[in-house]
Structure formats: structure tokens, C-alpha cells
Amino acid sequence: MRSRMIATLGAAALAAAALLAPSASAAPATLAAPDVPLANVKAHLSQLQSIASSNGGNRAHGRPGFRASLDYVQAKLDAAGYQTSVQSFSRSGATGYNLIADWPGGDVDDTLMTGAHLDSVTAGPGINDNGSGTAATLETALAVARENYQPDRHLRFAWWGAEELGLVGSTYYVDNLPSSERSKITGYLNFDMVGSPNPGYFAYDGDGSSGSGGPAGSAEIEQVLRAYFQTIDVPVQDTAFDGRSDYGPFIRVGIPAGGLFTGAEGRKTSQQAQLWGGQAGIAFDRCYHSSCDTTSNIDDTALDRNADAIANAVWTLAAGGGAG
């Protein structure tokens, strides 16, 4: 994840039932998302750590650890029945890759896309940044397959290359989509650092309550993400929706987006420590962009909550059509 500033406390989470349809009584029942097993998410993190350890200590763009990470994720998705493709691009004299995975079925003209960047910095294995988002997104995709979920919307998942060099992979993907294909992506969810060891609970400020909002539909995505945390009595704050992770290329072309974040190099305030526990005055992730961003640099509770919130958002938003 590239550096970003934490915004002020956002609006309280809204009930999910108020978000999904103008008339809840007229809407069909939405299938509940399954629990995403924390053990499965952590098993993916262990594999990413092993890959880094076997490949010079990182999973960075242009390094063998990145391609090995992509191969690991792709093999899991292929075995689960996804239609996968690898998109290549060039940056800094090296070939980079995006992995795209489509779940068969649903309205391809109304596609909900969920993504996370797969690369680390060269300094370390990148297990929180962004193994955590990679693993939680992967396990959500595998849950879709286990449940044989067949929602109204088409589901597409992506793992981006070269985010750490400036959103290179996701920008390449969006810029090279024909306009007719861009218009079919009606929502994008982004998960970049969701297991920080001194965690906060943040949602991208899609409704603009603490700054600039996003394209139409982003507010509804934010509300769905917040509503999950309301059910477990965890307060959520806004984080800046400023395009500094892989949702940036999507919102620049008007695609509604949203996502979750547990904090990077910013320091947790006393107020935030009262809300969530942890240590005030200490970074959310003291190992941000460092060699110590290993499997020991993860808060299990934050990772578990966010993985379940991701699945809940995919199930909720995919069921009814449209951004929210």
C-alpha cells in the first residue's frame, strides 16, 4: 500500500436492510455470506511467507517471488472452477502481471469486481501489505466456489501487480479496457492491508462525509461495508478516498468503489485506542514496507473481522444488482 492520510471519524454505519432496495418487503431474501475461516486465510499467508523466504525475501514486481505468488493464487482458483487469465505489462525494465478470475454465471453487463494488490516492496515479504488483502480476497473467492454462489451480478476477482510502484497493474487493466467493457463493471471493492498488528477499522470515504466522495454508488458500497461492523459492534472511521490504492484507476473513470483498511504508518490516537484497543502513539503497522512485515505482523482478530466483512460485502452487493 502506498502512503495515505487517515481521515476523521465518519458517519455511523447504517443497517444493511436500508441499503439494498427501496422496499425491503418487495425484495427477495439475500443469502447470508458464509463465515470465512481465519485458519484458511492464515494458511495462504503462510504460503506467501514461504514463497518470499525462498525467493530473496520479497514478492516484489519483477522478482521471482511475485510470479510464484501469482502461480499459487491462480492454481487455487483454477481448481475451484474459476476462469482465470494473466495480463502482462512492463514497468522498470521488468514484466509485471495481473491475475483476473471470473466466476461463471451472473449478468456480465453488471459485474462486481473485487481486488487486492499481490506485490510486496523489495524490502520484505509483504504479509500485511498486502498478503492480508490478497489472502482474504482469495478465500472469499474460494468461499463463492464452495457455496456454488450464483448471484444476479457477475463476479470477477483480481490480484494486481506493481501497486507499490504506483498502481501500475490496476491502471494498465483499466486503461486497456474498451469503454464497452468498462461500462460493465458496476462496482469495485479494494482490500489493501486488512490485518495490521495495531489495527484500526477504516472504510474508504465513498459518501464524502469527511472529504471528497467517489462516483455515484460509492456511498452505498461504503454503507454495506460499514453495516457489517455495526453487527459486531465495532466502530468504523473514514479513511481518505483519494485514489492512492488500486481503486484509484476505477474511480477516475467513474466506476463506484469502496474498501476497508486497518492502517499503515500513521499513528493510532488516544481516541482510537479507546475505540479499538491497541497502543496509542504507535503506528498501526510498525513494519510497514519493512523486512519485519512477516506472518508475525498480523492481528488475527482484525484479519478475521475484515475477511468476514469482505465476504458479506460480496454476497450483499452481488445479490441485487447495481452498485448498492
Side-chain angles (χ1 to χ4, degrees), residues 155-174:
L155 294 177
R156 179 175 299 154
F157 295 85
W159 288 265
W160 308 115
E163 187 270 357
E164 298 291 3
L165 300 183
L167 318 182
V168 178
S170 56
T171 300
Y172 184 87
Y173 174 81
V174 172

Side-chain angles (χ1 to χ4, degrees), residues 252-301:
R252 281 196 292 273
V253 296
I255 295 172
L260 300 169
F261 173 51
T262 53
E265 80 278 27
R267 294 179 182 270
K268 181 177 281 188
T269 67
S270 297
Q271 180 204 38
Q272 290 167 335
Q274 290 174 350
L275 283 177
W276 301 316
Q279 294 178 278
I282 302 297
F284 296 101
D285 184 354
R286 286 179 287 183
C287 290
Y288 177 66
H289 283 184
S290 300
S291 61
C292 58
D293 187 9
T294 65
T295 50
S296 63
N297 190 47
I298 291 289
D299 182 89
D300 285 357
T301 299

Side-chain angles (χ1 to χ4, degrees), residues 207-267:
D207 64 7
S209 59
S210 64
S212 299
S218 299
E220 289 80 8
I221 292 173
E222 179 189 357
Q223 290 165 355
V224 169
L225 291 164
R226 283 174 166 271
Y228 174 79
F229 287 96
Q230 185 181 47
T231 68
I232 59 172
D233 297 321
V234 174
V236 176
Q237 291 188 349
D238 285 339
T239 190
F241 200 46
D242 55 7
R244 297 186 73 175
S245 189
D246 287 304
Y247 63 87
F250 290 86
I251 64 174
R252 281 196 292 273
V253 296
I255 295 172
L260 300 169
F261 173 51
T262 53
E265 80 278 27
R267 294 179 182 270

Side-chain angles (χ1 to χ4, degrees), residues 102-161:
D102 285 270
W103 180 239
D107 182 0
V108 295
D109 291 328
D110 188 8
T111 295
L112 176 65
M113 195 165 183
T114 304
H117 78 85
L118 184 56
D119 61 316
S120 74
V121 293
T122 57
I127 299 304
N128 186 39
D129 184 14
N130 183 37
S132 61
T134 286
T137 299
L138 173 58
E139 194 55 33
T140 296
L142 297 178
V144 167
R146 285 193 298 268
E147 299 288 320
N148 193 28
Y149 186 37
Q150 297 295 330
D152 295 338
R153 296 172 83 175
H154 181 69
L155 294 177
R156 179 175 299 154
F157 295 85
W159 288 265
W160 308 115

Side-chain angles (χ1 to χ4, degrees), residues 5-96:
M5 295 295 291
I6 301 301
T8 57
L9 182 64
L14 301 178
L19 309 173
L20 303 179
S23 173
S25 61
T30 300
L31 290 175
D35 178 73
V36 175
L38 175 63
N40 291 8
V41 181
K42 292 189 71 176
H44 300 314
L45 294 183
S46 293
Q47 288 297 317
L48 295 175
Q49 177 70 67
S50 295
I51 288 168
S53 297
S54 300
N55 289 281
N58 67 65
R59 302 180 302 98
H61 167 74
R63 306 296 179 90
F66 179 80
R67 184 63 204 225
S69 298
L70 185 146
D71 291 343
Y72 169 76
V73 174
Q74 185 176 23
K76 292 288 186 182
L77 295 163
D78 286 343
Y82 278 83
Q83 298 170 346
T84 64
S85 61
V86 176
Q87 181 183 52
S88 62
F89 56 88
S90 181
R91 178 60 179 240
S92 302
T95 301

